[in-house]
Amino acid sequence: MRVAAYIRVSTDEQVKEGYSLDAQREKLINFCKSQDWSIVEMYVEEGKSAKDMNRPELNRMLSDAQNGRFDVLLVYRLDRLTRSVKDLYEMLQMFENHGVKFKSATEIYDTTTAMGKLFITIVAALAQWERENLSERVRFGMEELVREGKWHGGPVPFGYSWDGETMHVIEEEANILRELRRIYMSGEGLGSTAKKLNARGLTKRGSKWSAQSVWYVLDNPFYAGRIRYGEKKKNGKYASRKKEERVNVIWSDTGFPTIYSWEEYQEHTARMKRKEFYGHSKKREYRFTGVLRCARCGATLIGRPYRNKKRDGTWTEPHYNYICSNRALSAGCDLPLLRQEIAEKMIMEHLKKIKLDYNAITSLQSDPTDNIEFEIERLKRELKVVRERRKKWQYMLADDLMSKEDFRERRKEEDDREREINERIEELKAKRIGINHAVLQKAFELPDIWVHMNDIERRELMQIVFNRIVVDCEVKSGKGIAGRGRALPFVIREVEFN
């Protein structure tokens, strides 16, 4: 008698119930010896659930059964093979069609009679009920953890470490996440953001970034202090994208330290939705992506095309404008739209002007080293105080000495201050190093080589040379001023080189 043995274990079962692979293997070998059977193949399924048939060794076994490679399938227990009544019925039907007998080493089944088939179906139904009941209990427990703002298990997000009680920010990884968001909000897409991070060696714990992993970080509200936990879809699987639109979702504040503020999270997810709506096929013509900043609110300027309709009903070639991202989100900024050709003319004139006074630039970009070091140390001490204060709010929330609304407000204040301090420290470090003369030389060469480059080369060079160019308009609104042959009076308020 040719026997095929199928053994399976999931991690939880191995720990809790003792169904180790070695134990199952030994039981089945001894059973075959007592029956004078020989095992021709052992199918070993490790770390797989029996809830469905999506198991490589199970599918290999079923294929071998159809090809007549064994006469009997032997398992330690029925639930090692399946916990689904539907799957059991289909497999038993297939075994019968191909002359394969089914045998359990610890249970007595006779699948050749109607009573035997009924009995094994009832046992399988109980196994399925046990699995579904356990799944409901586990999910209920996880939902309660989420409602309490506690960590509900799973992989710890990049940027954090878990000590069993609370989350701790890994500052080196948090800086990568902040840079990821900065690149994306400068106008780049998910894929190009990943490429820029990888090119600079800013990896995700040794793994390269992809468009999917960048999307996951930006979409994950955990980085902004909230947990989003969605229930299963109708097909029994969890939604990985657009959870709010596809399933009921539980939201809860975590009380853990944040990397993004909630306002920042809403800002970049709104941009993700806009790009999703308008699509990704548009031709990239924007030359100053990632470097233009609004002097009125500090936000990034993003590209926005505009076309005029002709009298004959056709459309003109697109005009390439830049709009303050806060204005695009209706967040209160009123900076007028900046035409790309106006931005180009303004930047080139500015470069020609500062080239005439190179010494003045270097003096503006450097501070006395002693003063810079003193200020950096002072800011680091203040940063420590902010973090200690944030811990105090967390303890007060945990002890019911503060409401969630008060805690959220206090945490926002501390997050904003921490971000301001970190930005100031980075600025001082840059000044301590001094101006990059190679970058400055590239800036001086820009007006001469600009006409010989395509738009992609222009954009890349702008991002190499400039960290930011802060622009403003000398009038509040363009109504009644801008028009054919007339341009709004835009000015450059500040230039910061890389």
Side-chain angles (χ1 to χ4, degrees), residues 182 290-293 462-469 496-498:
R182 187 196 69 77
V291 298
L292 294 178
R293 298 288 188 276
M462 289 295 297
Q463 292 175 353
I464 291 172
V465 172
F466 298 101
N467 182 36
R468 61 178 184 167
I469 300 174
E496 184 177 311
F497 295 96
N498 282 321

Side-chain angles (χ1 to χ4, degrees), residues 175-193:
N175 288 335
I176 295 176
L177 293 172
R178 295 184 187 106
E179 180 64 7
L180 178 152
R181 183 184 183 278
R182 187 196 69 77
I183 294 173
Y184 180 75
M185 290 305 294
S186 73
E188 297 295 338
L190 299 173
S192 57
T193 298

Side-chain angles (χ1 to χ4, degrees), residues 140 142-150 250-252 404:
F140 177 77
M142 293 177 73
E143 288 179 354
E144 285 302 303
L145 288 173
V146 170
R147 288 190 178 96
E148 294 171 6
K150 297 179 180 178
I250 299 172
W251 288 89
S252 179
K404 286 187 177 180

